[in-house]
Amino acid sequence: MEKILNYINGELIEPSSKIYIENIDPSCGKAYSLVPDSCADDVNEAVKSAKVAYSFWSKTTKQERSDILNKLADAIEENFDMLVAAESRDNGKPLSLAAKVDIPRASANLRFFAGAILHDSSDVHEMDGEAINYTLRVPIGVAACISPWNLPLYLLTWKIAPALATGNTVVAKPSEITPMTAYLLSKICKEINFPKGVLNIVHGRGEKLGDALTTHQDVPIVSFTGGSDTGKHISKITAPYFKKLSLELGGKNPNIIFDDCDFDKAVSTASRAAFTNQGQICLCGSRVFVQNKIYEKFKSALVDKAKKLIVGDPKSSNSHLGAVVSEEHMNKILLKINEAKKLGGILLCGGERLILEGELKNGYYIQPTVFENLAYDCSINNEEIFGPVVTLIPFESEDDVIMMANSSEFGLSASIFTKDISRGHRVAAKIDSGVIWINTWLLRDLRIPFGGMKNSGVGREGGFNSLKFFTEPKNICVKI
Ligand code: NAD
């Protein structure tokens, strides 16, 4: 079985313990590679290497860093098919989705920040002829970039690109559940002679090596994307060290459908928002609020669409949904489905594990699932399920739906469907979410401030927000 290796100081190396964990292909439930079960010693080595590299990387010009990031993006594009196949196999997502979203976005992230760093500017504050203040933005040091399993290479590059572009060095910690594309990226880095120690990747279980990384005295910046509970833990244990911390956490996003919407577009977008990537996107619209007048019609159209979605072999171009990421996660989703039934939820479609044939019979497949008749404030409508499960909730007025949408402890994203654009603006202004779409979903502009309110996170990523996060402002006042 292939052994994934850590990437430290430009070398692919075994974990110090020589202990590995099995990496499972969720489409068939079989182990197909081994992931290092790294520990604090490996983290320390990686941080040491990043610290040494910082002394030269932080002195490179913006143009040099931009060129190197673009070279890495080129190499990702040259290895496109390999990375697409690896992402699909590691995560269970359809090959078509990895080809359309994950891998193109990985190279786009690098190119975006390779460009952004060349077009950044700093503030000047003039004091009426007496003095001029100008603010430099300087790199900070070694950044810990911790990413989850749902969009593995996409989110890893979303963090390392701005960190490196601004002159920091990185110790990245990809999810132990989907480590393969990060490993392939490290092999690519080696092939293109990426400067040694600038990017280091340590694989392993977060609960085992996470604290060593986030509390390390030589790691002043922590950028984390993952679950809210892990975010809370990181926030708590790093607090005494005054680190710069960015937390991109979970969501329970409302999808608000007014009766004057473009009906067909709203149905197809709600279905896409519910089930893309098996519902495992932090931005998925898992609470679908539908205005009373069109509730029954919308319900039957959405259920009809959900029933027609093909859940199958991720490698098949016919599959709309593949496998969910792990057996543990599948069981968690199935438990939530049971809980929804116990709470009086009416199952409109799905609700079961799907057993496929042949090689795939032990894979982790779940049917697209739609519930109704669940109170807006019950546990199912409050906790992130992170699977292909949505609830339909009827509403009468704008005020009702705003109250219900905002009742969640999360505040990541929301979508609003209406042809009345004034209403769209009005409702958007009152929804407690960091990212709001009107008449669309997951339309991403990499320049915008991206992130959540409440338990969905702290800070914003994207565009100049990321460049600001990964730098320290230094103001210089010059007396005229
Ligand atoms: P997770 O919190 O279990 O793990 C995320 C990463 O943190 C993994 O690499 C994991 O190994 C690591 N980790 C675990 N414990 C750690 C610790 N104590 N210290 C440091 N690192 C630790 O999350 P997950 O299950 O991999 O991802 C799913 C979650 O991510 C969902 O809640 C989803 O909404 C969220 N997510 C949020 C965004 C966003 O932009 N807001 C994007 C994608 C996913």
Side-chain angles (χ1 to χ4, degrees):
M1 239 186 295
E2 185 173 14
K3 268 186 184 169
I4 286 170
L5 297 169
N6 288 334
Y7 178 57
I8 298 176
N9 198 26
E11 302 300 330
L12 295 167
I13 57 174
E14 292 207 82
S16 55
S17 65
K18 308 276 190 292
I19 300 172
Y20 288 81
I21 326 161
E22 286 189 331
N23 187 27
I24 311 288
D25 173 347
S27 75
C28 61
K30 285 193 194 129
Y32 80 101
S33 57
L34 296 169
V35 197
D37 188 12
S38 304
C39 62
D41 290 347
D42 303 295
V43 168
N44 293 340
E45 276 308 302
V47 174
K48 199 158 88 187
S49 142
K51 195 178 171 191
V52 170
Y54 180 74
S55 60
F56 72 84
W57 184 251
S58 57
K59 294 188 184 76
T60 51
T61 64
K62 289 175 181 173
Q63 188 65 56
E64 282 168 330
R65 297 197 294 274
S66 175
D67 290 347
I68 290 172
L69 290 183
N70 273 321
K71 192 169 160 192
L72 187 54
D74 291 344
I76 287 179
E77 283 157 14
E78 281 154 22
N79 288 285
F80 184 82
D81 292 342
M82 172 187 74
L83 290 166
V84 165
E87 202 69 295
S88 167
R89 187 174 195 192
D90 220 22
N91 174 278
K93 68 178 70 207
L95 207 59
S96 55
L97 185 67
K100 196 171 160 217
V101 176
D102 294 74
I103 306 307
R105 190 44 205 283
S107 55
N109 286 337
L110 291 159
R111 290 205 192 287
F112 176 80
F113 285 106
I117 194 64
L118 300 179
H119 302 285
D120 199 6
S121 60
S122 60
D123 294 332
V124 171
H125 297 88
E126 201 188 339
M127 296 173 71
D128 290 333
E130 191 188 349
I132 296 174
N133 292 279
Y134 63 92
T135 311
L136 297 177
R137 298 207 69 96
V138 295
I140 307 173
V142 179
C145 295
I146 305 171
S147 47
W149 50 256
N150 64 326
L151 298 162
L153 194 62
Y154 170 134
L155 287 173
L156 180 91
T157 49
W158 181 235
K159 294 186 178 302
I160 67 170
L164 297 175
T166 44
N168 302 285
T169 53
V170 167
V171 176
K173 155 62 189 100
S175 170
E176 62 274 31
I177 303 170
T178 54
M180 188 52 90
T181 48
Y183 171 56
L184 295 175
L185 184 76
S186 59
K187 284 173 93 173
I188 289 170
C189 284
K190 235 177 121 50
E191 276 161 27
I192 64 167
N193 290 322
F194 201 80
K196 287 187 176 185
V198 168
L199 170 64
N200 303 272
I201 303 178
V202 181
H203 295 276
R205 289 177 290 134
E207 67 270 21
K208 183 166 170 186
L209 61 78
D211 290 6
L213 179 58
T214 55
T215 63
H216 198 294
Q217 61 173 4
D218 290 328
V219 174
I221 329 165
V222 178
S223 173
F224 170 82
T225 297
S228 295
D229 287 344
T230 316
K232 212 174 275 180
H233 172 79
I234 293 175
S235 184
K236 204 156 49 180
I237 61 160
T238 57
Y241 304 97
F242 307 116
K243 290 172 191 273
K244 270 195 113 172
L245 189 61
S246 164
L247 300 171
E248 297 292 341
L249 310 175
K252 186 75 183 176
N253 311 302
N255 205 340
I256 301 172
I257 320 285
F258 284 102
D259 59 17
D260 66 345
C261 66
D262 175 335
F263 187 83
D264 293 342
K265 192 172 157 196
V267 173
S268 62
T269 312
S271 167
R272 207 162 56 80
F275 303 123
T276 300
N277 206 33
Q278 300 70 246
Q280 302 165 136
I281 301 182
C282 53
L283 305 165
C284 275
S286 50
R287 294 181 292 152
V288 187
F289 296 96
V290 187
Q291 204 159 18
N292 279 333
K293 207 163 126 200
I294 59 162
Y295 182 81
E296 290 301 325
K297 184 177 167 202
F298 188 92
K299 173 171 99 179
S300 69
L302 184 72
V303 169
D304 207 39
K305 244 193 168 23
K307 283 182 178 164
K308 286 189 185 132
L309 292 172
I310 299 168
V311 182
D313 185 350
K315 290 192 285 304
S316 162
S317 57
N318 293 329
S319 300
H320 299 109
L321 280 79
V324 298
V325 78
S326 67
E327 185 172 22
E328 189 187 345
H329 191 57
M330 173 183 71
N331 289 335
K332 188 192 134 198
I333 297 168
L334 293 171
L335 263 179
K336 285 283 156 200
I337 289 174
N338 254 335
E339 186 180 325
K341 289 180 190 163
K342 283 191 193 140
L343 286 170
I346 297 172
L347 185 63
L348 299 171
C349 66
E352 302 281 345
R353 176 178 183 180
L354 201 65
I355 305 291
L356 300 184
E357 288 179 351
E359 278 279 286
L360 307 179
K361 71 175 188 303
N362 293 320
Y364 315 131
Y365 301 91
I366 298 186
Q367 297 164 330
T369 299
V370 183
F371 276 104
E372 69 171 350
N373 200 42
L374 284 161
Y376 76 90
D377 55 354
C378 74
S379 57
I380 294 298
N381 280 323
N382 259 303
E383 290 162 22
E384 188 182 40
I385 298 176
F386 220 51
V389 182
V390 292
T391 57
L392 289 174
I393 307 162
F395 72 90
E396 184 58 43
S397 70
E398 245 177 73
D399 286 347
D400 287 349
V401 78
I402 290 165
M403 181 279 292
M404 292 193 283
N406 286 343
S407 68
S408 161
E409 65 188 37
F410 294 103
L412 185 55
S413 74
S415 283
I416 300 161
F417 288 85
T418 176
K419 280 189 190 149
D420 178 348
I421 198 64
S422 297
R423 167 150 69 185
H425 290 300
R426 195 165 59 234
V427 175
K430 291 181 183 162
I431 295 290
D432 300 335
S433 295
V435 179
I436 300 178
W437 287 286
I438 299 178
N439 294 327
T440 187
W441 174 74
L442 200 56
L443 185 55
R444 290 280 288 111
D445 181 326
L446 303 190
R447 296 167 300 176
I448 65 149
F450 177 88
M453 299 179 179
K454 304 196 267 187
N455 287 3
S456 290
V458 177
R460 293 292 183 273
E461 294 183 332
F464 294 125
N465 292 284
S466 291
L467 298 186
K468 284 206 162 109
F469 173 72
F470 284 107
T471 51
E472 209 53 279
K474 207 156 83 172
N475 190 74
I476 294 146
C477 178
V478 188
K479 180 93 176 83
I480 293 173

